């Protein structure tokens, strides 16, 4: 049976890999709508490649360019918030949510509809508004399938037993480009060096998050909401080969792990599948050729973002929302060369500690979460302006 699919973030790294998976199984999917951020030409191209019925660009000013690029194709288009919402509202069995950052929360949340499946790549949705989002998903009977490779692996490993028997669920990190660098060297690294990921090819924000290890911290919070596991039962291991993505240690000492070559098409195909698995013509994992797999503990001294995220998860309430917002602003400033690498963790730490004094409870709705998110963003922006002032003095 053909499944209809809508792709949010279709022009990004996950969006492009999703297009590859869909095109390898043309008879199994029909693409209803594709959504992109600013690049009208890229969106028009993916819409045509996939034979989508509707293409929506978030940036309203790209409306004409998109219309022109699609003229004569029979593909409808729109631009701006209402067009994105229209794309989300259209009939589709599955919505693949791969907009980057908190910008993905509102459209991903709007995509929750009875009986639907959400293939979720946009982890920031769950970090910003995890409880509210998951409560709504459960209420509406929406199945959330994790696309994030670690969570996709955990999803399978966890299916081997009961939640109560899980002693620890572990997600792995490749360690990013600075795994072997000294703190002094990392302190001077620019965004280009931070973006040179040794294993994965990804979008710009997640690349920086991987260099700071904030990505792993966000993933711990994501795992907490997806699998109903508290902070004490979640852990991170650094694993440079990025072959083992997630491990579940059971209370009898046995471990169930998910392994695959590091290619996002594997978890994407898995999150899109209906029953059984989609056959994928990808290179197979040859463990004998790899020879050995190595693991080490993360160094939270050189990568303080990981401990900040762990602390936010433990503290609960609105702290993950605040952490996520401050991080997004700090990462943008770092990419714009306005702050240094360790200013990212410093901004996050200061904003988190300011908000922690207010003991705000976990946002009950997505709107509440976005309100706290805005406040935390403003606090982070102010701090970054202060940094700029100090540097100028
Ligand atoms: P990317 O930057 O390559 O792509 C982001 C996509 O979102 C693009 O299509 C962009 O046009 C669109 N977009 C940006 N702002 C938008 C807005 N306001 N409205 C509508 N669309 C908008 O990012 P990516 O690497 O593909 O990551 C996407 C998400 O998936 C992130 O949340 C990331 O954490 C998660 N993820 C990515 C990977 C990976 O390997 N790339 C792995 C796991 C999880
Ligand atoms: Mg991941």
């Amino acid at each position: 049976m053909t499944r209809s699919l809508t792709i949010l973030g279709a022009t990004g790294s996950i969006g492009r890999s999703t297009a590859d998976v869909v095109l390898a199984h043309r008879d199994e999917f029909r693409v209803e709508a594709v959504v992109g951020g600013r690049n009208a030409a890229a969106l028009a191209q993916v819409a045509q490649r996939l034979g989508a019925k509707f293409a929506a660009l978030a940036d309203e000013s790209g409306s004409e360019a998109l219309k022109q690029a699609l003229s004569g194709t029979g593909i409808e288009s729109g631009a701006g918030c209402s067009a994105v919402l229209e794309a989300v509202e259209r009939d589709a069995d599955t919505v693949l949510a791969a907009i980057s950052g908190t910008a993905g929360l509102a459209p991903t949340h709007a995509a929750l509809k009875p009986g639907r499946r959400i293939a979720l790549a946009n982890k920031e949705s769950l970090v910003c508004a995890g409880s509210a989002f998951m409560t709504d998903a459960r209420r509406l009977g929406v199945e959330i399938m994790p696309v994030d490779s670690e969570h996709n692996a955990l999803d399978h490993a966890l299916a081997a037993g009961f939640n109560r028997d899980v002693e620890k669920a572990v997600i792995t990190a490749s360690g990013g480009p600075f795994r072997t660098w000294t703190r002094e060297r990392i302190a001077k690294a620019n965004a280009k060096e931070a973006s040179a990921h040794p294993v994965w090819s990804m979008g710009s924000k997640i690349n920086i998050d991987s260099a700071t290890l904030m990505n792993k911290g966000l993933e711990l919070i994501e795992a907490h909401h997806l699998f109903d596991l508290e902070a004490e039962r979640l852990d991170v291991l650094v694993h440079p080969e990025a072959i083992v993505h997630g491990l579940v240690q059971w209370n009898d000492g046995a471990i169930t792990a998910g392994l695959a070559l590091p290619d996002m098409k594997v978890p994407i195909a898995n999150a899109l599948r209906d029953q059984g698995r989609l056959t994928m013509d990808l290179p197979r994992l040859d463990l004998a050729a790899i020879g050995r797999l190595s693991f080490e503990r993360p160094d939270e001294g050189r990568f303080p973002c990981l401990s900040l995220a762990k602390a936010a998860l433990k503290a609960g309430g609105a702290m993950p929302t605040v952490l996520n917002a401050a991080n997004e602003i700090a990462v943008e400033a770092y990419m714009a060369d306005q702050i240094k690498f360790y200013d990212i963790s410093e901004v996050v730490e200061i904003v988190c500690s300011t908000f922690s004094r207010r003991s705000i409870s976990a946002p009950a709705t997505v709107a509440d979460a976005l309100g706290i998110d805005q406040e935390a963003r403003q606090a982070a922006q102010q701090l970054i302006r202060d940094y700029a002032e100090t540097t100028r003095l």
Side-chain angles (χ1 to χ4, degrees):
M1 203 185 68
T2 321
R3 282 186 79 86
S4 52
L5 171 71
T6 284
I7 306 173
L8 313 181
T11 57
S13 160
I14 292 288
R16 288 192 302 273
S17 295
T18 304
D20 292 342
V21 173
V22 168
L23 291 173
H25 293 274
R26 269 203 174 278
D27 47 335
E28 307 218 18
F29 299 102
R30 182 182 66 67
V31 177
E32 179 64 33
V34 287
V35 170
R38 294 174 166 275
N39 190 335
L43 184 65
Q45 199 180 29
V46 73
Q48 288 182 78
R49 226 185 129 207
L50 293 170
K53 288 190 180 164
F54 183 66
L57 197 67
D59 178 11
E60 205 149 6
S61 68
S63 170
E64 260 322 296
L66 182 63
K67 221 179 263 166
Q68 269 180 19
L70 288 174
S71 78
T73 62
I75 301 172
E76 292 174 71
S77 71
C81 282
S82 58
V84 172
L85 208 61
E86 186 188 336
V88 165
E89 293 282 327
R90 290 172 79 114
D91 238 4
D93 302 316
T94 304
V95 173
L96 182 121
I99 292 174
S100 66
T102 312
L105 173 57
T108 306
H109 184 250
L112 299 179
K113 284 185 164 205
R116 249 191 195 172
R117 179 191 300 155
I118 306 287
L120 185 73
N122 177 231
K123 65 194 85 184
E124 293 90 346
S125 288
L126 287 186
V127 180
C128 178
S131 310
F133 188 97
M134 290 307 287
T135 305
D136 288 346
R138 281 186 205 112
R139 182 172 47 82
L140 294 166
V142 175
E143 184 191 5
I144 310 283
M145 278 301 296
V147 167
D148 219 341
S149 52
E150 300 75 8
H151 304 73
N152 193 270
L154 280 187
D155 194 59
H156 291 280
L158 287 165
F162 297 105
N163 181 300
R164 62 167 187 270
D165 294 331
V166 175
E167 211 162 71
K168 238 177 195 10
V170 182
I171 54 175
T172 62
S174 70
F178 303 148
R179 182 176 65 87
T180 58
W181 290 30
T182 62
R183 195 183 156 96
E184 293 66 36
R185 194 172 162 213
I186 298 173
K188 295 189 203 122
N190 60 30
K192 191 163 170 252
E193 291 167 300
S195 301
H197 200 278
V199 182
W200 302 97
S201 142
M202 309 179 287
S204 51
K205 194 242 171 195
I206 185 172
N207 256 336
I208 305 297
D209 284 344
S210 299
T212 61
L213 288 200
M214 181 59 96
N215 184 47
K216 234 20 74 173
L218 300 179
E219 289 184 355
L220 285 175
I221 301 170
E222 181 187 11
H224 161 70
H225 290 294
L226 283 173
F227 306 122
D228 206 12
L229 290 166
E230 55 282 17
E232 294 69 27
R233 289 200 290 167
L234 290 165
D235 210 353
V236 172
L237 257 185
V238 172
H239 168 45
E241 294 85 1
I243 299 293
V244 181
H245 303 287
L247 308 101
V248 173
Q249 182 179 305
W250 303 100
N251 54 7
D252 58 2
I255 287 180
T256 309
L259 285 74
L261 282 171
D263 184 332
M264 286 308 294
K265 289 197 273 299
V266 177
I268 290 169
N270 190 259
L272 293 181
R273 85 198 190 278
D274 200 9
Q275 277 166 347
R277 287 179 179 261
L278 291 172
T279 305
M280 293 299 294
D281 185 17
L282 296 169
R284 297 307 190 227
L285 173 60
D286 182 346
L287 283 172
I290 292 171
R292 71 185 285 273
L293 298 176
S294 57
F295 299 90
E296 60 200 44
R297 281 185 216 300
D299 177 351
E300 293 179 27
R302 282 181 304 137
F303 302 104
C305 280
L306 179 58
S307 41
L308 291 170
K310 283 183 174 174
L313 172 59
K314 269 203 187 114
M319 292 321 292
T321 313
V322 172
L323 170 106
N324 179 60
N327 179 60
E328 229 166 274
I329 295 297
V331 167
E332 271 170 27
Y334 177 65
M335 289 196 291
D337 214 14
Q338 291 164 354
I339 59 171
K340 302 260 174 257
F341 187 84
Y342 283 116
D343 294 337
I344 300 176
S345 45
E346 200 172 289
V347 167
V348 173
E349 185 170 9
I350 295 173
V351 175
C352 281
S353 83
T354 312
F355 275 74
S356 74
R357 283 179 224 127
R358 290 166 50 190
S359 309
I360 311 171
S361 50
T365 65
V366 165
D368 289 350
L370 288 171
I372 297 163
D373 173 85
Q374 272 310 317
E375 249 195 278
R377 273 166 200 269
Q378 281 159 16
Q381 273 154 351
Q382 185 55 51
L383 256 179
I384 289 161
R385 278 195 293 273
D386 294 348
Y387 279 13
E389 286 291 313
T390 329
T391 332
R392 236 177 285 146
L393 292 176

